[in-house]
Amino acid sequence: MKTLVLAEKPSVGRDIARVLHCQQKADGYIEGKEYVVTWGLGHLVELQDPEGYDKKYKEWKTEDLPIMPEKLMTVVIPKTGKQYRTVQGLLNRKDIGKVVIATDAGREGELVARWILQKAGCRKKCRRLWISSVTDRAIREGFAKLKDAKEYDHLFEAAVSRAEADWLVGINATRALTCKYNAQLSCGRVQTPTLAMIAKREEEIRNFKPETYYTIQAETVCSAANGNPDPTRGSASVRGSAAKPVQDRQVPGNIGGSQRHSASIRFQWRDSASGGGRTFSKERADAVCRALESGTLVITKADRKRKKTPAPLLYDLTELQREGNRRFGYSAKDTLNIMQRLYENHKVLTYPRTDSRYLTSDLVPTLRERVDSCGIGPYKAIAAKVKNRKLSENLPFVNNAKVSDHHAIIPTEQVPELSHMTIDERRIYDLVVRRFLAVLYPPFEYEETVLNAELLAAGEKKSGRVEGEKRSAAAEKESCRNIGDGSDTGVRDKKISGSQNQESAARDKKLSDSRKLEFAARGKVVLAAGWKEVYGELGEDDLEEEGETESAEVLQEQILPAVQPGQRMKVSAVRCKEGRTKPPARFRESTLLSAMENPVKYLESGDRNQAKTLSETGGLGTVATRADIIDKLFGSFLMEKKGEEIYLTAKGRQLLQLVPEDLRKPELTADWEMKLGKIASGSIRRDRFMQEIRGYTQELLHEIHTQEGTYRHENMTNKKCPNCGKRLLAVNGKNAKLLVCQDRNCGYRETLSRTSNARCPVCHKKMELAGNGDTATFICACGYKERLEKFKERRQKEGAGVTKRDVAAYMKKQQKDAAEPVNNAMAAALAGIRLE
C-alpha cells in the first residue's frame, strides 16, 4: 500500500516528492514506489455562500436576515475544481493506505487539509508533517518524526470556528448595512477596528493645536586644568568599526588628564522641575538667556558609565513587514509574497507566517550550519567572525516558552543562489540574514559621559564641591540679571555684553521662581561595535514609529573634553531656538501594522484585563491575515494612500458612524482570539463558542435595524454608468484611480489611471498610466508626459525587449561555451588534415 502526501502548494509538493524519490509525474500529482504526492492550490474548499442554502439569498433583502444555517456547509472552489477532483480521486484509490497532511504547519494550514479530507469523505488513517522550512533536510527529519493527525484535532476546531464566526458576523452585518443604506458597506471584527484606529489618529491630528516652544544652548570655554579634550569621545554613530577605547582611566573625581587645554562644550538648559529641555514661555527663555550671558557654568556632576546594548530580536512576520515598508516602501502583502518565494522556491528562509521572535533550544545545534550556508558573498566576512563563537541554549534569543507554532524567521541550511534572486528578494533576504548574524554577535559597547552644571552668576562664589550647597538670595538675583532687550526669536547667538537693564532684571528674577538654572551635556565613545558591525554603512538606527521625537528632549551627543566637578566654564555664546510642536504622524503601512499588533492604546474601555488579553492574543488579526486586511480596506475604498500616508475616505468615515459600536472596538477580536486559543488547547468546547457567536450576530442585526443614520455619496461624478445609467463614483484604489457604479448590484468599474512600474526618464519616479488603447499616456508628478506608443519605442531602443528567458538562454550558452575548448571550430576543421 502507498501513502498519499497532501501539500498546500505545488512548489512544496514537488520538493517533498523529490526527497521521497517520487519521479513519475502526472496531472496534479507525482508518484513513486512508496509515496504519491499531491497538493492544493491554497484552499480548494471554502464555506458555502448564502445562495447555496437557498436561492432567495442571491438577492440581498433585509427581511431575509439573519442568515443562519443550522450547520455551515463547504463547497469546492470552482476555479480550483480540477485539482480538487484529482486529490479526491487519489484519496479514494484502493492502493492508498494512509494519508500524510503536509500543509503549512499552522491553524490555517490545518483548515486547508481537513476541509479537503472532509469534502472527499476520506476515512483513512492520517499522519501530520510539522516542519518550519522546506529544505531537503527538514523534510527528511519531519517524515522521520510524523505525528498522529488526531493530536491536531483541536487546532482544526479552532480554525473552523474562526472561519464560521467570521462568516456569520461578516455576512449578516454587511448585508444589513448594505440593504439599509443602499451602499456597498463592508464590515468585520478585524477590518472595522483597524479603520477606527486610523479615524482616531486623524481626529488627533485635526484637534492638535501647535504651540511655540524655546530651547536654550550655552557654548562654554573650558580652559582650566584637567580640561584637555579626549578625541575618542564623540559620535555614537557606528558604521562598521569601533572607536579606540578610552585610555585615560583616572581616580574618582578627576575625569580626564592633567594638561591645561582650551576646549568648548555645548550645554543645553534643562527645566529643574520637569527635566525637559524646552519652555513654552518666551519671557522665561529670554530671562535664562540674559542670565547666561553674564554668568559662568560650574560642573556639579560628571558621570561616566559603561553600557551595553544587545542586538534587536530576530524577525517575526510583522516586524519584517514593518522593516520592508520603512526601508523599501513595500506593502505588507508585497513583503509576505517575497517571503513566500524565499521560503517555497529558493528554500533559503524558514516559515514566514510566524508571530515569534525567538528560537527553540532544539535549533541551537543547527545554528552553525545555518551560519555556514548564508556566509557567502557580502556576508562572508561578518559570518566568519561568529563561526568560532560558543553557541549554547543560554543565548538571549532562545526561549521555548515564547515560541508557539513557529519560531522566528531565520536562514535555512540551504546555500543561497544570490544571482537567481530578484532585487526585491535580495533585499528581504539581506534583512533576515543580517539580523540572524547580528544576534550571534556580542553587544554594542560604549561609554557615556553626562555632565551636569549650574549657572554661577557674575560675582557669585562657589567651591569645587557644588552639590548640596544652597544659593543665596543675592546670588539667585544675580543669576537672572538681564542683558539685552530679549526681542530675538528663532536662533540667537550673542557674545557676552556688559550692558544691563534694571527693569528686565526685576522681571527675570520673578520668572526664575528662585529655581536653579541647570544645564546638561552628553558624549559617547564607542568601545566595541559588536553587533552593529554586521550592518556596517547600512546602519541599524531605531525608527520612531509613532511620530517624531522633539529634539529638545534629547541631549545632543558631542566630543567632550575631560572635566571634573567644581570646574568653572565661562559662557562664550548663547543660542535660543524657537520650535513648534508637531501633531502625531499619519499612519503608514509599517506603523499601521504596529498598531494592529499592539492596539492597547486604542481601547476605549481602559480595562486592564482587556488590555492584557489583547496583548496575549497578538492584537488585531494574525501575522498571516494582517496584510490581507489592509489590502481589503484599500480594495473596498474605505481608505486610500497619498504618497506613503494612509487617509480615510468619505466612505470609510461614514461607515464608522453607521456600524455597530461593538464592531469598532479591538476588544471584540481580543475576546475571540482568546477563546479560539482555548479551543485549540482543548480548554473549551467549539459548540459553546459558536452558540455565543449566533447570539451575538442577532444582537448586531437588531442594533443596525433600529439605529438612525443616513449615507451620502460624497464622490459622485457627472459621468453615467454605461450599464444602468446611474452616476459613477470617483474612488482611489491602492494603486489606481477608478470610476465605479454607485449601484452595488451593477458592479461596473472603469480604471482612469494606475501606478505603473515605468520610471520617468527625468526624475526616475514611478509614472501613472492614464487612458486606454491609443490614448494611453504616462504621466509623472514632475510634469513629464509620454504616450504609451512612444514609451514602448524608447524602451525597445534601450533594450527593454530582452526577457528573462532570453537572459537565461544567453547565460546557459555562455556556460556551455566556457566548458568547451576556445578554438573548438578550428580544431574540428584541422582534425582531418594529415601532415606527412
Side-chain angles (χ1 to χ4, degrees), residues 167-225:
W167 191 95
L168 288 170
V169 171
I171 289 287
N172 284 286
T174 295
R175 288 198 175 206
L177 285 168
T178 300
C179 291
K180 181 168 183 176
Y181 300 106
N182 192 29
Q184 196 159 356
L185 301 175
S186 173
C187 62
R189 53 114 185 168
V190 176
Q191 68 180 49
T192 311
T194 301
L195 211 62
M197 290 193 301
I198 301 171
K200 187 173 183 179
R201 176 59 60 84
E202 289 195 349
E203 183 181 1
E204 290 172 357
I205 295 171
R206 190 164 50 251
N207 295 334
F208 182 82
K209 295 179 180 179
E211 294 182 80
T212 300
Y213 66 87
Y214 305 89
T215 61
I216 301 145
Q217 190 177 90
E219 191 89 20
T220 63
V221 177
C222 176
S223 59

Side-chain angles (χ1 to χ4, degrees), residues 630-755:
I630 292 174
D631 261 20
K632 186 174 181 180
L633 290 171
F634 281 121
S636 53
F637 313 120
L638 295 172
M639 65 185 194
E640 62 185 357
K641 264 188 177 181
K642 295 180 181 178
E644 291 297 318
E645 296 181 330
I646 296 174
Y647 290 74
L648 278 187
T649 62
K651 180 179 180 180
R653 284 190 291 272
Q654 290 187 84
L655 173 66
L656 288 174
Q657 294 174 353
L658 302 174
V659 78
E661 183 181 3
D662 218 28
L663 274 180
R664 298 196 299 262
K665 296 180 180 179
E667 289 93 329
L668 178 64
T669 286
D671 182 54
W672 281 27
E673 287 296 334
M674 182 182 68
K675 291 175 181 176
L676 291 172
K678 290 182 178 179
I679 294 173
S681 64
S683 302
I684 63 173
R685 292 174 56 87
R686 161 175 141 72
D687 54 359
R688 174 184 161 189
F689 173 73
M690 292 310 302
Q691 186 177 358
E692 292 179 4
I693 292 298
R694 289 173 181 270
Y696 176 69
T697 304
Q698 293 275 20
E699 294 174 8
L700 283 180
L701 292 179
H702 176 73
E703 185 175 345
I704 292 172
H705 292 154
T706 56
Q707 72 182 4
E708 295 181 1
T710 57
Y711 181 85
R712 184 171 63 90
H713 293 293
E714 296 183 4
N715 53 343
M716 194 89 70
T717 68
N718 290 323
K719 190 171 182 179
K720 293 186 177 180
C721 174
N723 294 343
C724 65
K726 294 180 180 178
R727 288 165 65 185
L728 297 175
L729 307 175
V731 295
N732 292 326
K734 185 177 182 181
N735 295 307
K737 295 179 180 179
L738 309 96
L739 292 176
V740 299
C741 184
Q742 61 177 294
D743 191 335
R744 55 187 172 81
N745 294 318
C746 175
Y748 174 82
R749 61 174 54 198
E750 175 186 333
T751 302
L752 295 178
S753 67
R754 61 179 178 83
T755 304

Side-chain angles (χ1 to χ4, degrees), residues 473-492:
E476 184 65 41
K477 180 177 180 180
E478 288 293 326
S479 70
C480 292
R481 292 180 65 187
N482 175 45
I483 297 179
D485 59 8
S487 61
D488 295 324
T489 58
V491 179
R492 183 176 66 186

